[in-house]
Amino acid sequence: MATFLYRLGRGAFRRRGLVALVWVALLFAAGFGAASASAPTSGSFSIPGTEAQRAFDLLDEKFPAMAADGATARIVVKAPDGAKVTDPAPKAQVEKIAEDLKSGPGKDQIASVTDPYQGKAVSQDGSTAYLSAKYKVSGMELTDATRDALKESGKDAQAQGLTVEIGGDALMAAPETGSGEVVGILIAAIVLVITFGSLIAAGLPLLTALIGVGIGVSSITALANVLDLGSTTSTLAMMIGLAVGIDYALFIVSRYRAELAEGRERDEAAGRAVGTAGSAVVFAGLTVVIALVGLAVVNIPMLTKMGFAAAGTVVIAVLVALTLVPAILGYAGRKVLPAGEKSRLFGKGKGKGAAKDKTEAGTGGTGTEPAAPARKPNGGTRWARFVLRRPVVVLLVGVIGLGVVAIPASKLEMGLPDDGAQPVSTTQRRAYDLLSDGFGPGFNGPLMVVVDGDKALADKTADRIKALDGVAAVVPPAPNEAGDAAVITVVPKDRPSSAQTEDLVHAIRADNGNDVLVTGATAMNIDFSQKMNDALLPYLALVVGLAFLLLMLVFRSVLVPLKAALGFLLSVVAALGAVVAVFQWGWLGSLFGVEQTGPIMSMMPIFMVGVVFGLAMDYEVFLVTRMREAYVHGERPGQAVVTGFRYSARVVVAAAVIMIAVFAGFIGASEQMVKMIGFGLAVAVFFDAFVVRMAIVPAVLALLGHKAWWLPRWLDRLLPDVDVEGESLRRHLGDISDSPEDPGKDRELVNA
């Protein structure tokens, strides 16, 4: 593979005009498609195989006019102190709100508006009432005129001294990420400048990453309605695409600089950079893609589409790194080197290969600069030697430290966000609180019981539900026109996310067969969380198993992939512990913009497992590949660890800081899901890169010694040789001979 990538990189460098033109054309085509497409909707949400989903399907069949997937709004009206909403003046204002909604600009999208006085939607003390508006389309499909009419519906009532707040998903809008991601990109730029010492070299990874993300996100936007992609899909694809795009380009550019420092011609340097560092990029990208595509095993369409869209953006980032990066390097020339390095290597009197005599040859697959033998050991070398002297201490500190951070994960509570998770500054949250105060905490999470039968069965079901613990109210059955189905609304005593409400759902479902089904937002939440729990272990087995096989191909070892997987589990559980501490317990919540604590989103653990595993393997591949190459070419195990850190540590640290900055930039998003995922991924990358890969990995390798690189002979013969070390490439280019004395020739000696 290294030889193929060498030819690809060299060809892209030589035909840089054509390659750049193709990528720019793709960017414009994707941008045109995105601009021409209609605004994306929120995406349909379904949970196949659950009772809540079967109930929704039954509603669509038996109650077609209800528009079960249509947006809803609750306009909550509270009278001033000492007054009641049943008084003539407030009542007139409430009725005017209903009339304005029915006859206003958005009337064509209105399915129904309930009168609170006829629908018994007035609190017992008479202080609060609410109107329910049902729309024919989802919240993201509402026109601006319809949404504006909803927002303006209570202005006159407010002018008369009434409190009017609006809740429901009718006010749903595309998530705003704010300026945080811009700050993340600026931090990435600063890190690149410090790492490379050249503005050209620093700007190149940013430019290529933005082009790749632009193509990916624009393609998602163009296909959003066709493929029914959710509004957050493009945001998550942007988050992951930016992080890996910058990192992959960083390694290619770094390797190119190393080849120039050895005195290579520019096209040869580009080819070797892609042939060596590009191999690591390909396998790192494959691990991320496997983890994201593997989300399909959960069998939740929304999550599957998110995974595939993000995986597509990662594939684009890999292709950009292998083709567009060497093409742009053709335009940059030697400007990617710092000024001092250029004068030292290519100044007056320096000819081709002059630098080669002064530098230590470095052909590592991870793409980092070689260091001259006479120079002072760099930070990576010093750190590796420190770990080698105290491997047990470093290992214990790292494992115990992550274990302590992971403790809050044992108290993880999962749920889906509702208006109660919104900031207190929003009208949705204020409406939620008014309903809780006026009607009870369970009123914000009513259960919808769908009875597939006649009136007798519906009445019998309603009577049985009234006798259950935890029920605050039961609305009489509402039959359909045919009289063969009915809907019963049940209001729990406790808040939607409480354990008591979950017990009530299970109690209603008990011994009802297929004729009585429970759905609604609360029931969907319970079913969704259960589905996530059931899918976690199969998903882990699939993703970790496939990645384990992939890493065995890369490292030709059994214990190194096993160590990589165990290290990942440490970092992801610790990251979940941090998420629980901040978003569920509220520790340092104000620092991260968390205005309301609550359960962790049900999809968070499995999504973090997928994404973090893929990203964690990036650093494993980039760091350990160089160690593997040094060991195969004759170095002792400890010295191979030092060599890997000498050539890789600085760039791996820079890549991790960049990825953390990009993810942390999304903490400022308005959408709680995006905020939580941004924080979780940033923390997970920090733990994995700086604790697991930079501390625990060298400590374990030091303790294992030669055993770390052991692979049974029979398995070595079965596994295909993907040549990540670039051995066949070096032989092809004449850097090494085919003689038996060549330590790279007889690699089976490693596994003897």
PDB file of all heavy atoms in Angstrom, residues 421-457:
ATOM      1  N   ALA A 421     -35.095  21.107  30.051  1.00  0.00           N
ATOM      2  CA  ALA A 421     -33.635  21.178  29.958  1.00  0.00           C
ATOM      3  C   ALA A 421     -33.168  22.459  29.297  1.00  0.00           C
ATOM      4  O   ALA A 421     -31.965  22.700  29.186  1.00  0.00           O
ATOM      5  CB  ALA A 421     -33.105  19.978  29.171  1.00  0.00           C
ATOM      6  N   GLN A 422     -34.116  23.295  28.852  1.00  0.00           N
ATOM      7  CA  GLN A 422     -33.758  24.552  28.198  1.00  0.00           C
ATOM      8  C   GLN A 422     -33.253  25.562  29.234  1.00  0.00           C
ATOM      9  O   GLN A 422     -33.587  25.471  30.427  1.00  0.00           O
ATOM     10  CB  GLN A 422     -34.982  25.137  27.479  1.00  0.00           C
ATOM     11  CG  GLN A 422     -35.517  24.279  26.349  1.00  0.00           C
ATOM     12  CD  GLN A 422     -34.798  24.552  25.049  1.00  0.00           C
ATOM     13  OE1 GLN A 422     -33.861  25.339  24.999  1.00  0.00           O
ATOM     14  NE2 GLN A 422     -35.229  23.892  23.994  1.00  0.00           N
ATOM     15  N   PRO A 423     -32.458  26.533  28.820  1.00  0.00           N
ATOM     16  CA  PRO A 423     -32.047  27.600  29.744  1.00  0.00           C
ATOM     17  C   PRO A 423     -33.261  28.356  30.289  1.00  0.00           C
ATOM     18  O   PRO A 423     -34.283  28.495  29.598  1.00  0.00           O
ATOM     19  CB  PRO A 423     -31.175  28.511  28.866  1.00  0.00           C
ATOM     20  CG  PRO A 423     -30.718  27.643  27.740  1.00  0.00           C
ATOM     21  CD  PRO A 423     -31.825  26.672  27.497  1.00  0.00           C
ATOM     22  N   VAL A 424     -33.136  28.856  31.505  1.00  0.00           N
ATOM     23  CA  VAL A 424     -34.260  29.549  32.139  1.00  0.00           C
ATOM     24  C   VAL A 424     -34.603  30.854  31.422  1.00  0.00           C
ATOM     25  O   VAL A 424     -35.657  31.447  31.661  1.00  0.00           O
ATOM     26  CB  VAL A 424     -33.943  29.843  33.617  1.00  0.00           C
ATOM     27  CG1 VAL A 424     -33.871  28.551  34.404  1.00  0.00           C
ATOM     28  CG2 VAL A 424     -32.632  30.619  33.756  1.00  0.00           C
ATOM     29  N   SER A 425     -33.724  31.306  30.551  1.00  0.00           N
ATOM     30  CA  SER A 425     -33.985  32.547  29.817  1.00  0.00           C
ATOM     31  C   SER A 425     -34.927  32.348  28.638  1.00  0.00           C
ATOM     32  O   SER A 425     -35.376  33.327  28.042  1.00  0.00           O
ATOM     33  CB  SER A 425     -32.660  33.134  29.309  1.00  0.00           C
ATOM     34  OG  SER A 425     -32.000  32.202  28.460  1.00  0.00           O
ATOM     35  N   THR A 426     -35.243  31.107  28.276  1.00  0.00           N
ATOM     36  CA  THR A 426     -36.075  30.845  27.102  1.00  0.00           C
ATOM     37  C   THR A 426     -37.552  30.787  27.481  1.00  0.00           C
ATOM     38  O   THR A 426     -37.917  30.414  28.606  1.00  0.00           O
ATOM     39  CB  THR A 426     -35.678  29.524  26.434  1.00  0.00           C
ATOM     40  OG1 THR A 426     -35.912  28.451  27.351  1.00  0.00           O
ATOM     41  CG2 THR A 426     -34.208  29.542  26.040  1.00  0.00           C
ATOM     42  N   THR A 427     -38.401  31.134  26.526  1.00  0.00           N
ATOM     43  CA  THR A 427     -39.846  31.065  26.775  1.00  0.00           C
ATOM     44  C   THR A 427     -40.299  29.625  26.928  1.00  0.00           C
ATOM     45  O   THR A 427     -41.255  29.350  27.661  1.00  0.00           O
ATOM     46  CB  THR A 427     -40.612  31.765  25.627  1.00  0.00           C
ATOM     47  OG1 THR A 427     -42.009  31.777  25.931  1.00  0.00           O
ATOM     48  CG2 THR A 427     -40.398  31.042  24.303  1.00  0.00           C
ATOM     49  N   GLN A 428     -39.617  28.681  26.240  1.00  0.00           N
ATOM     50  CA  GLN A 428     -39.989  27.272  26.391  1.00  0.00           C
ATOM     51  C   GLN A 428     -39.812  26.804  27.828  1.00  0.00           C
ATOM     52  O   GLN A 428     -40.673  26.104  28.373  1.00  0.00           O
ATOM     53  CB  GLN A 428     -39.146  26.392  25.458  1.00  0.00           C
ATOM     54  CG  GLN A 428     -39.398  26.636  23.981  1.00  0.00           C
ATOM     55  CD  GLN A 428     -38.370  27.566  23.387  1.00  0.00           C
ATOM     56  OE1 GLN A 428     -37.998  28.562  24.016  1.00  0.00           O
ATOM     57  NE2 GLN A 428     -37.902  27.262  22.188  1.00  0.00           N
ATOM     58  N   ARG A 429     -38.708  27.199  28.448  1.00  0.00           N
ATOM     59  CA  ARG A 429     -38.468  26.784  29.834  1.00  0.00           C
ATOM     60  C   ARG A 429     -39.455  27.456  30.782  1.00  0.00           C
ATOM     61  O   ARG A 429     -39.976  26.830  31.722  1.00  0.00           O
ATOM     62  CB  ARG A 429     -37.034  27.121  30.218  1.00  0.00           C
ATOM     63  CG  ARG A 429     -36.718  26.908  31.690  1.00  0.00           C
ATOM     64  CD  ARG A 429     -36.922  25.436  32.118  1.00  0.00           C
ATOM     65  NE  ARG A 429     -36.823  25.303  33.562  1.00  0.00           N
ATOM     66  CZ  ARG A 429     -35.669  25.204  34.212  1.00  0.00           C
ATOM     67  NH1 ARG A 429     -34.528  25.217  33.532  1.00  0.00           N
ATOM     68  NH2 ARG A 429     -35.649  25.090  35.516  1.00  0.00           N
ATOM     69  N   ARG A 430     -39.751  28.718  30.557  1.00  0.00           N
ATOM     70  CA  ARG A 430     -40.700  29.419  31.432  1.00  0.00           C
ATOM     71  C   ARG A 430     -42.103  28.825  31.305  1.00  0.00           C
ATOM     72  O   ARG A 430     -42.833  28.714  32.297  1.00  0.00           O
ATOM     73  CB  ARG A 430     -40.695  30.907  31.114  1.00  0.00           C
ATOM     74  CG  ARG A 430     -39.377  31.607  31.470  1.00  0.00           C
ATOM     75  CD  ARG A 430     -39.537  33.122  31.498  1.00  0.00           C
ATOM     76  NE  ARG A 430     -39.822  33.641  30.171  1.00  0.00           N
ATOM     77  CZ  ARG A 430     -38.896  34.079  29.316  1.00  0.00           C
ATOM     78  NH1 ARG A 430     -37.605  34.029  29.659  1.00  0.00           N
ATOM     79  NH2 ARG A 430     -39.223  34.550  28.132  1.00  0.00           N
ATOM     80  N   ALA A 431     -42.481  28.435  30.085  1.00  0.00           N
ATOM     81  CA  ALA A 431     -43.773  27.776  29.900  1.00  0.00           C
ATOM     82  C   ALA A 431     -43.806  26.437  30.630  1.00  0.00           C
ATOM     83  O   ALA A 431     -44.814  26.061  31.249  1.00  0.00           O
ATOM     84  CB  ALA A 431     -44.049  27.573  28.409  1.00  0.00           C
ATOM     85  N   TYR A 432     -42.717  25.718  30.567  1.00  0.00           N
ATOM     86  CA  TYR A 432     -42.590  24.428  31.260  1.00  0.00           C
ATOM     87  C   TYR A 432     -42.791  24.624  32.763  1.00  0.00           C
ATOM     88  O   TYR A 432     -43.527  23.860  33.410  1.00  0.00           O
ATOM     89  CB  TYR A 432     -41.208  23.843  30.958  1.00  0.00           C
ATOM     90  CG  TYR A 432     -40.944  22.474  31.534  1.00  0.00           C
ATOM     91  CD1 TYR A 432     -41.124  21.332  30.767  1.00  0.00           C
ATOM     92  CD2 TYR A 432     -40.477  22.328  32.846  1.00  0.00           C
ATOM     93  CE1 TYR A 432     -40.853  20.062  31.281  1.00  0.00           C
ATOM     94  CE2 TYR A 432     -40.214  21.067  33.375  1.00  0.00           C
ATOM     95  CZ  TYR A 432     -40.400  19.940  32.589  1.00  0.00           C
ATOM     96  OH  TYR A 432     -40.140  18.703  33.106  1.00  0.00           O
ATOM     97  N   ASP A 433     -42.149  25.627  33.324  1.00  0.00           N
ATOM     98  CA  ASP A 433     -42.246  25.873  34.764  1.00  0.00           C
ATOM     99  C   ASP A 433     -43.657  26.323  35.158  1.00  0.00           C
ATOM    100  O   ASP A 433     -44.173  25.940  36.220  1.00  0.00           O
ATOM    101  CB  ASP A 433     -41.226  26.928  35.188  1.00  0.00           C
ATOM    102  CG  ASP A 433     -39.791  26.420  35.088  1.00  0.00           C
ATOM    103  OD1 ASP A 433     -39.594  25.190  35.070  1.00  0.00           O
ATOM    104  OD2 ASP A 433     -38.866  27.258  35.009  1.00  0.00           O
ATOM    105  N   LEU A 434     -44.295  27.148  34.328  1.00  0.00           N
ATOM    106  CA  LEU A 434     -45.662  27.587  34.622  1.00  0.00           C
ATOM    107  C   LEU A 434     -46.619  26.402  34.649  1.00  0.00           C
ATOM    108  O   LEU A 434     -47.508  26.320  35.515  1.00  0.00           O
ATOM    109  CB  LEU A 434     -46.122  28.611  33.582  1.00  0.00           C
ATOM    110  CG  LEU A 434     -45.526  30.022  33.676  1.00  0.00           C
ATOM    111  CD1 LEU A 434     -45.999  30.879  32.512  1.00  0.00           C
ATOM    112  CD2 LEU A 434     -45.908  30.679  35.012  1.00  0.00           C
ATOM    113  N   LEU A 435     -46.469  25.472  33.695  1.00  0.00           N
ATOM    114  CA  LEU A 435     -47.332  24.289  33.666  1.00  0.00           C
ATOM    115  C   LEU A 435     -47.081  23.404  34.890  1.00  0.00           C
ATOM    116  O   LEU A 435     -48.030  22.853  35.470  1.00  0.00           O
ATOM    117  CB  LEU A 435     -47.092  23.499  32.380  1.00  0.00           C
ATOM    118  CG  LEU A 435     -47.631  24.117  31.093  1.00  0.00           C
ATOM    119  CD1 LEU A 435     -47.175  23.330  29.877  1.00  0.00           C
ATOM    120  CD2 LEU A 435     -49.162  24.177  31.132  1.00  0.00           C
ATOM    121  N   SER A 436     -45.809  23.268  35.291  1.00  0.00           N
ATOM    122  CA  SER A 436     -45.498  22.455  36.476  1.00  0.00           C
ATOM    123  C   SER A 436     -46.111  23.060  37.727  1.00  0.00           C
ATOM    124  O   SER A 436     -46.671  22.348  38.574  1.00  0.00           O
ATOM    125  CB  SER A 436     -43.983  22.330  36.644  1.00  0.00           C
ATOM    126  OG  SER A 436     -43.412  21.608  35.578  1.00  0.00           O
ATOM    127  N   ASP A 437     -46.020  24.376  37.844  1.00  0.00           N
ATOM    128  CA  ASP A 437     -46.561  25.052  39.026  1.00  0.00           C
ATOM    129  C   ASP A 437     -48.081  25.001  39.042  1.00  0.00           C
ATOM    130  O   ASP A 437     -48.696  24.837  40.109  1.00  0.00           O
ATOM    131  CB  ASP A 437     -46.098  26.514  39.061  1.00  0.00           C
ATOM    132  CG  ASP A 437     -44.596  26.635  39.255  1.00  0.00           C
ATOM    133  OD1 ASP A 437     -43.980  25.661  39.726  1.00  0.00           O
ATOM    134  OD2 ASP A 437     -44.038  27.699  38.909  1.00  0.00           O
ATOM    135  N   GLY A 438     -48.703  25.156  37.883  1.00  0.00           N
ATOM    136  CA  GLY A 438     -50.162  25.240  37.831  1.00  0.00           C
ATOM    137  C   GLY A 438     -50.861  23.898  37.797  1.00  0.00           C
ATOM    138  O   GLY A 438     -51.971  23.765  38.333  1.00  0.00           O
ATOM    139  N   PHE A 439     -50.245  22.901  37.177  1.00  0.00           N
ATOM    140  CA  PHE A 439     -50.937  21.630  36.959  1.00  0.00           C
ATOM    141  C   PHE A 439     -50.216  20.424  37.553  1.00  0.00           C
ATOM    142  O   PHE A 439     -50.733  19.313  37.501  1.00  0.00           O
ATOM    143  CB  PHE A 439     -51.125  21.397  35.453  1.00  0.00           C
ATOM    144  CG  PHE A 439     -51.978  22.439  34.783  1.00  0.00           C
ATOM    145  CD1 PHE A 439     -51.417  23.589  34.256  1.00  0.00           C
ATOM    146  CD2 PHE A 439     -53.350  22.269  34.691  1.00  0.00           C
ATOM    147  CE1 PHE A 439     -52.196  24.546  33.637  1.00  0.00           C
ATOM    148  CE2 PHE A 439     -54.144  23.221  34.065  1.00  0.00           C
ATOM    149  CZ  PHE A 439     -53.570  24.375  33.545  1.00  0.00           C
ATOM    150  N   GLY A 440     -49.014  20.612  38.056  1.00  0.00           N
ATOM    151  CA  GLY A 440     -48.268  19.492  38.625  1.00  0.00           C
ATOM    152  C   GLY A 440     -47.083  19.118  37.756  1.00  0.00           C
ATOM    153  O   GLY A 440     -47.086  19.341  36.545  1.00  0.00           O
ATOM    154  N   PRO A 441     -46.036  18.515  38.358  1.00  0.00           N
ATOM    155  CA  PRO A 441     -44.797  18.209  37.616  1.00  0.00           C
ATOM    156  C   PRO A 441     -45.000  17.210  36.480  1.00  0.00           C
ATOM    157  O   PRO A 441     -44.255  17.219  35.502  1.00  0.00           O
ATOM    158  CB  PRO A 441     -43.864  17.650  38.684  1.00  0.00           C
ATOM    159  CG  PRO A 441     -44.761  17.200  39.786  1.00  0.00           C
ATOM    160  CD  PRO A 441     -45.943  18.118  39.769  1.00  0.00           C
ATOM    161  N   GLY A 442     -45.988  16.324  36.585  1.00  0.00           N
ATOM    162  CA  GLY A 442     -46.181  15.326  35.539  1.00  0.00           C
ATOM    163  C   GLY A 442     -46.919  15.841  34.325  1.00  0.00           C
ATOM    164  O   GLY A 442     -47.011  15.143  33.305  1.00  0.00           O
ATOM    165  N   PHE A 443     -47.427  17.058  34.402  1.00  0.00           N
ATOM    166  CA  PHE A 443     -48.234  17.573  33.303  1.00  0.00           C
ATOM    167  C   PHE A 443     -47.402  17.823  32.053  1.00  0.00           C
ATOM    168  O   PHE A 443     -47.937  17.818  30.938  1.00  0.00           O
ATOM    169  CB  PHE A 443     -48.925  18.871  33.736  1.00  0.00           C
ATOM    170  CG  PHE A 443     -50.068  19.249  32.856  1.00  0.00           C
ATOM    171  CD1 PHE A 443     -51.299  18.628  33.006  1.00  0.00           C
ATOM    172  CD2 PHE A 443     -49.922  20.202  31.873  1.00  0.00           C
ATOM    173  CE1 PHE A 443     -52.360  18.968  32.186  1.00  0.00           C
ATOM    174  CE2 PHE A 443     -50.971  20.539  31.046  1.00  0.00           C
ATOM    175  CZ  PHE A 443     -52.200  19.919  31.204  1.00  0.00           C
ATOM    176  N   ASN A 444     -46.103  18.052  32.225  1.00  0.00           N
ATOM    177  CA  ASN A 444     -45.240  18.295  31.067  1.00  0.00           C
ATOM    178  C   ASN A 444     -44.846  17.010  30.341  1.00  0.00           C
ATOM    179  O   ASN A 444     -44.209  17.084  29.284  1.00  0.00           O
ATOM    180  CB  ASN A 444     -43.969  19.039  31.502  1.00  0.00           C
ATOM    181  CG  ASN A 444     -44.222  20.518  31.719  1.00  0.00           C
ATOM    182  OD1 ASN A 444     -44.504  21.250  30.787  1.00  0.00           O
ATOM    183  ND2 ASN A 444     -44.124  20.947  32.973  1.00  0.00           N
ATOM    184  N   GLY A 445     -45.220  15.868  30.904  1.00  0.00           N
ATOM    185  CA  GLY A 445     -44.895  14.604  30.244  1.00  0.00           C
ATOM    186  C   GLY A 445     -46.079  13.658  30.223  1.00  0.00           C
ATOM    187  O   GLY A 445     -45.994  12.535  30.737  1.00  0.00           O
ATOM    188  N   PRO A 446     -47.206  14.062  29.640  1.00  0.00           N
ATOM    189  CA  PRO A 446     -48.382  13.187  29.626  1.00  0.00           C
ATOM    190  C   PRO A 446     -48.127  11.929  28.806  1.00  0.00           C
ATOM    191  O   PRO A 446     -47.374  11.934  27.842  1.00  0.00           O
ATOM    192  CB  PRO A 446     -49.463  14.056  28.985  1.00  0.00           C
ATOM    193  CG  PRO A 446     -48.718  15.032  28.135  1.00  0.00           C
ATOM    194  CD  PRO A 446     -47.446  15.312  28.883  1.00  0.00           C
ATOM    195  N   LEU A 447     -48.759  10.857  29.209  1.00  0.00           N
ATOM    196  CA  LEU A 447     -48.674   9.594  28.489  1.00  0.00           C
ATOM    197  C   LEU A 447     -49.876   9.464  27.559  1.00  0.00           C
ATOM    198  O   LEU A 447     -50.996   9.841  27.919  1.00  0.00           O
ATOM    199  CB  LEU A 447     -48.652   8.415  29.465  1.00  0.00           C
ATOM    200  CG  LEU A 447     -47.583   8.458  30.563  1.00  0.00           C
ATOM    201  CD1 LEU A 447     -47.765   7.279  31.516  1.00  0.00           C
ATOM    202  CD2 LEU A 447     -46.197   8.453  29.962  1.00  0.00           C
ATOM    203  N   MET A 448     -49.638   8.950  26.391  1.00  0.00           N
ATOM    204  CA  MET A 448     -50.707   8.747  25.426  1.00  0.00           C
ATOM    205  C   MET A 448     -50.935   7.240  25.293  1.00  0.00           C
ATOM    206  O   MET A 448     -50.067   6.520  24.796  1.00  0.00           O
ATOM    207  CB  MET A 448     -50.335   9.369  24.072  1.00  0.00           C
ATOM    208  CG  MET A 448     -51.457   9.334  23.054  1.00  0.00           C
ATOM    209  SD  MET A 448     -50.950  10.103  21.481  1.00  0.00           S
ATOM    210  CE  MET A 448     -50.712  11.795  22.000  1.00  0.00           C
ATOM    211  N   VAL A 449     -52.070   6.780  25.743  1.00  0.00           N
ATOM    212  CA  VAL A 449     -52.420   5.367  25.676  1.00  0.00           C
ATOM    213  C   VAL A 449     -53.352   5.153  24.486  1.00  0.00           C
ATOM    214  O   VAL A 449     -54.436   5.742  24.427  1.00  0.00           O
ATOM    215  CB  VAL A 449     -53.090   4.894  26.978  1.00  0.00           C
ATOM    216  CG1 VAL A 449     -53.434   3.409  26.897  1.00  0.00           C
ATOM    217  CG2 VAL A 449     -52.192   5.173  28.177  1.00  0.00           C
ATOM    218  N   VAL A 450     -52.929   4.336  23.547  1.00  0.00           N
ATOM    219  CA  VAL A 450     -53.702   4.074  22.340  1.00  0.00           C
ATOM    220  C   VAL A 450     -54.352   2.697  22.472  1.00  0.00           C
ATOM    221  O   VAL A 450     -53.662   1.694  22.654  1.00  0.00           O
ATOM    222  CB  VAL A 450     -52.810   4.112  21.073  1.00  0.00           C
ATOM    223  CG1 VAL A 450     -53.662   3.980  19.816  1.00  0.00           C
ATOM    224  CG2 VAL A 450     -52.000   5.403  21.040  1.00  0.00           C
ATOM    225  N   VAL A 451     -55.678   2.686  22.406  1.00  0.00           N
ATOM    226  CA  VAL A 451     -56.442   1.451  22.545  1.00  0.00           C
ATOM    227  C   VAL A 451     -56.926   1.018  21.169  1.00  0.00           C
ATOM    228  O   VAL A 451     -57.641   1.765  20.495  1.00  0.00           O
ATOM    229  CB  VAL A 451     -57.641   1.639  23.493  1.00  0.00           C
ATOM    230  CG1 VAL A 451     -58.424   0.336  23.622  1.00  0.00           C
ATOM    231  CG2 VAL A 451     -57.172   2.126  24.855  1.00  0.00           C
ATOM    232  N   ASP A 452     -56.508  -0.169  20.770  1.00  0.00           N
ATOM    233  CA  ASP A 452     -56.942  -0.717  19.484  1.00  0.00           C
ATOM    234  C   ASP A 452     -58.153  -1.619  19.736  1.00  0.00           C
ATOM    235  O   ASP A 452     -58.052  -2.848  19.819  1.00  0.00           O
ATOM    236  CB  ASP A 452     -55.799  -1.505  18.843  1.00  0.00           C
ATOM    237  CG  ASP A 452     -56.122  -1.941  17.412  1.00  0.00           C
ATOM    238  OD1 ASP A 452     -57.137  -1.467  16.867  1.00  0.00           O
ATOM    239  OD2 ASP A 452     -55.358  -2.747  16.854  1.00  0.00           O
ATOM    240  N   GLY A 453     -59.336  -0.984  19.892  1.00  0.00           N
ATOM    241  CA  GLY A 453     -60.549  -1.738  20.208  1.00  0.00           C
ATOM    242  C   GLY A 453     -61.745  -0.814  20.343  1.00  0.00           C
ATOM    243  O   GLY A 453     -61.649   0.407  20.110  1.00  0.00           O
ATOM    244  N   ASP A 454     -62.873  -1.360  20.770  1.00  0.00           N
ATOM    245  CA  ASP A 454     -64.110  -0.574  20.849  1.00  0.00           C
ATOM    246  C   ASP A 454     -64.168   0.233  22.137  1.00  0.00           C
ATOM    247  O   ASP A 454     -63.251   0.219  22.953  1.00  0.00           O
ATOM    248  CB  ASP A 454     -65.325  -1.488  20.713  1.00  0.00           C
ATOM    249  CG  ASP A 454     -65.315  -2.597  21.774  1.00  0.00           C
ATOM    250  OD1 ASP A 454     -64.548  -2.482  22.753  1.00  0.00           O
ATOM    251  OD2 ASP A 454     -66.066  -3.575  21.609  1.00  0.00           O
ATOM    252  N   LYS A 455     -65.317   0.912  22.341  1.00  0.00           N
ATOM    253  CA  LYS A 455     -65.491   1.796  23.489  1.00  0.00           C
ATOM    254  C   LYS A 455     -65.421   1.024  24.804  1.00  0.00           C
ATOM    255  O   LYS A 455     -64.880   1.530  25.804  1.00  0.00           O
ATOM    256  CB  LYS A 455     -66.830   2.519  23.381  1.00  0.00           C
ATOM    257  CG  LYS A 455     -67.092   3.545  24.484  1.00  0.00           C
ATOM    258  CD  LYS A 455     -68.402   4.263  24.256  1.00  0.00           C
ATOM    259  CE  LYS A 455     -68.599   5.358  25.309  1.00  0.00           C
ATOM    260  NZ  LYS A 455     -68.634   4.814  26.690  1.00  0.00           N
ATOM    261  N   ALA A 456     -65.932  -0.189  24.822  1.00  0.00           N
ATOM    262  CA  ALA A 456     -65.924  -0.977  26.056  1.00  0.00           C
ATOM    263  C   ALA A 456     -64.499  -1.255  26.523  1.00  0.00           C
ATOM    264  O   ALA A 456     -64.179  -1.119  27.722  1.00  0.00           O
ATOM    265  CB  ALA A 456     -66.681  -2.289  25.831  1.00  0.00           C
ATOM    266  N   LEU A 457     -63.637  -1.633  25.591  1.00  0.00           N
ATOM    267  CA  LEU A 457     -62.235  -1.889  25.949  1.00  0.00           C
ATOM    268  C   LEU A 457     -61.554  -0.606  26.404  1.00  0.00           C
ATOM    269  O   LEU A 457     -60.765  -0.612  27.359  1.00  0.00           O
ATOM    270  CB  LEU A 457     -61.488  -2.486  24.760  1.00  0.00           C
ATOM    271  CG  LEU A 457     -59.992  -2.771  24.974  1.00  0.00           C
ATOM    272  CD1 LEU A 457     -59.788  -3.757  26.116  1.00  0.00           C
ATOM    273  CD2 LEU A 457     -59.343  -3.296  23.698  1.00  0.00           C
TER     274      LEU A 457
END
